[in-house]
Amino acid sequence: MSVAVTIEEVDGVSVVGLTGRIVLGEESGTLRETVKNLIAAGKQKIVLDMSNVTYIDSAGLGILVAAHVSAKTQGASISLCALGQKFREVLQLTRLLTIFDVYDTRTAAIDGFLQKSASKAAAGNQ
């Protein structure tokens, strides 16, 4: 089963809902292309909602890292939300948890971006 992708805009944040498996092949390519297209369209704030991801392999982890690096070099940012316990453990063991902003819920991830924007605006006004 390939990964299904939904994209929703909430308060200027692109929320990408992922459903299925992120593994080597078409599945990881779908995620890569989705993130690439969002960045190309000028989207700077991207949340990957992992709540319905049933499995991720090393290629899937590689795609997440590549997406993060690509986003960062183009002035965008990617956050993860709703990680399952096993997925969180894998990110912790591989120390990838330290490179991503990770939130428990979709709402918390969106709020995280909004708070960063407010902090930058406040710093710019001083």
Side-chain angles (χ1 to χ4, degrees):
M1 173 180 138
S2 67
V3 68
V5 176
T6 59
I7 301 171
E8 179 184 351
E9 286 289 321
V10 181
D11 294 328
V13 178
S14 299
V15 181
V16 180
L18 302 168
T19 301
R21 297 163 44 98
I22 304 173
V23 296
L24 181 63
E26 180 184 328
E27 293 87 350
S28 57
T30 300
L31 175 56
R32 181 184 323 113
E33 286 302 310
T34 299
V35 171
K36 185 174 130 185
N37 291 340
L38 286 170
I39 293 169
K43 305 299 180 184
Q44 300 287 303
K45 303 169 188 169
I46 302 168
V47 172
L48 299 181
D49 182 344
M50 309 298 279
S51 59
N52 293 313
V53 173
T54 56
Y55 180 79
I56 187 164
D57 69 1
S58 59
L61 290 175
I63 292 300
L64 289 178
V65 172
H68 170 75
V69 170
S70 176
K72 197 168 191 166
T73 60
Q74 296 181 51
S77 183
I78 296 177
S79 293
L80 305 178
C81 74
L83 306 180
Q85 183 61 34
K86 286 199 180 284
F87 186 36
R88 183 179 288 275
E89 288 172 6
V90 167
L91 288 180
Q92 195 163 9
L93 286 170
T94 57
R95 299 199 189 273
L96 293 176
L97 205 54
T98 61
I99 69 166
F100 290 101
D101 288 330
V102 178
Y103 298 90
D104 290 335
T105 66
R106 178 184 282 225
T107 302
I110 293 165
D111 288 346
F113 274 121
L114 297 178
Q115 288 173 2
K116 284 181 191 174
S117 294
S119 294
K120 285 182 182 175
N125 291 335
Q126 293 179 349

